[in-house]
Amino acid sequence: MTTGDDRNDKVRREIAELIPHLRRFARYLVQNPEWADDLVQECLVRAVASLGRYEDGTNLKAWLFTILRNIYKNDLRKSANRRRVEEDLTHEASTHSKPVQESAVALQEVRQAFAHLSPEHREILLLTAVEGVGYEEAGEMLDIPIGTVRSRVSRARARLTELLGQGNADETAAGEPRGAETGMHKKDG
């Protein structure tokens, strides 16, 4: 075997180790297991075919996520029924019966709320919160500035909290007059 073959075999093994991460990213991105598996399969085919373009020492996970994300975006562009597909995916999550266990119910509520996030918000939370990708790396993967990453993460978290119904307590507290918690109100005068 030549050095190039050894290198490609090593990279293929590293790619194989990242398949669970790719599957999780794809499944949360599209909310459809079959479509997600298709995205991962296409990503793997393209990655293996492009091994010569992968630069040793760079982040393989980021490279694969970028390929997968680009395939996803291309699929959406090709689809004349983009809105219908997104609506179908959103409605599909609510057709399942809720489990009885509290933690399973809570997880299902989070999944349903997550499905209602915009694609950009799902994507940024998947990378930063689920996959543990740092903001700088996420910015590189998505080709956006780090400030935009921070903004999207903040907005995505706020929207997820709102969808889960946890924003009401904060809104009530914010609507109280200053000093209400200590009984220090302005005197009528």
Side-chain angles (χ1 to χ4, degrees), residues 33-49:
E34 291 83 20
W35 186 11
D37 288 344
D38 289 345
L39 288 174
V40 171
Q41 182 67 33
E42 182 64 23
C43 174
L44 295 172
V45 167
R46 289 187 189 183
V48 170

Side-chain angles (χ1 to χ4, degrees), residues 10-28 33 36-48 60-65 68 130-131:
K10 179 181 179 269
V11 174
R12 282 187 187 105
R13 282 190 301 275
E14 291 173 4
I15 288 172
E17 292 172 8
L18 292 171
I19 290 174
H21 298 276
L22 289 168
R23 291 185 79 210
R24 180 172 49 222
F25 181 62
R27 283 186 180 210
Y28 275 96
D37 288 344
D38 289 345
L39 288 174
V40 171
Q41 182 67 33
E42 182 64 23
C43 174
L44 295 172
V45 167
R46 289 187 189 183
V48 170
L60 181 61
K61 186 177 181 181
W63 186 65
L64 292 170
F65 274 38
L68 189 138
V130 177
E131 289 298 327

Side-chain angles (χ1 to χ4, degrees), residues 86 113-124 156 159 163:
E86 288 179 354
F114 195 85
H116 285 85
L117 293 176
S118 70
E120 291 83 12
H121 286 166
R122 283 195 311 258
E123 184 175 65
I124 202 69
R159 179 69 179 135
L163 289 168

Side-chain angles (χ1 to χ4, degrees), residues 12-144:
R12 282 187 187 105
R13 282 190 301 275
E14 291 173 4
I15 288 172
E17 292 172 8
L18 292 171
I19 290 174
H21 298 276
L22 289 168
R23 291 185 79 210
R24 180 172 49 222
F25 181 62
R27 283 186 180 210
Y28 275 96
L29 191 63
V30 299
Q31 302 290 305
N32 178 301
E34 291 83 20
W35 186 11
D37 288 344
D38 289 345
L39 288 174
V40 171
Q41 182 67 33
E42 182 64 23
C43 174
L44 295 172
V45 167
R46 289 187 189 183
V48 170
S50 303
L51 282 180
R53 291 193 298 211
Y54 172 70
E55 296 178 24
D56 291 333
T58 60
N59 188 330
L60 181 61
K61 186 177 181 181
W63 186 65
L64 292 170
F65 274 38
T66 301
I67 292 171
L68 189 138
R69 183 175 174 268
N70 288 339
I71 294 167
Y72 166 69
K73 287 174 118 181
N74 288 338
D75 282 359
L76 289 180
R77 279 190 207 109
K78 290 176 189 174
S79 172
N81 299 317
R82 177 181 178 178
R83 182 174 298 279
R84 184 190 59 75
V85 170
E86 288 179 354
E87 287 174 2
D88 287 349
L89 294 174
T90 301
H91 293 299
E92 181 181 330
S94 64
T95 61
H96 303 289
S97 62
K98 292 186 176 182
V100 230
Q101 302 86 356
E102 285 184 35
S103 59
V105 171
L107 181 59
Q108 184 62 25
E109 288 173 356
V110 171
R111 284 184 180 150
Q112 288 175 350
F114 195 85
H116 285 85
L117 293 176
S118 70
E120 291 83 12
H121 286 166
R122 283 195 311 258
E123 184 175 65
I124 202 69
L125 285 181
L126 279 169
L127 290 174
T128 58
V130 177
E131 289 298 327
V133 173
Y135 286 9
E136 188 172 315
E137 186 178 350
E140 290 172 11
M141 291 169 80
L142 302 176
D143 196 28
I144 57 175

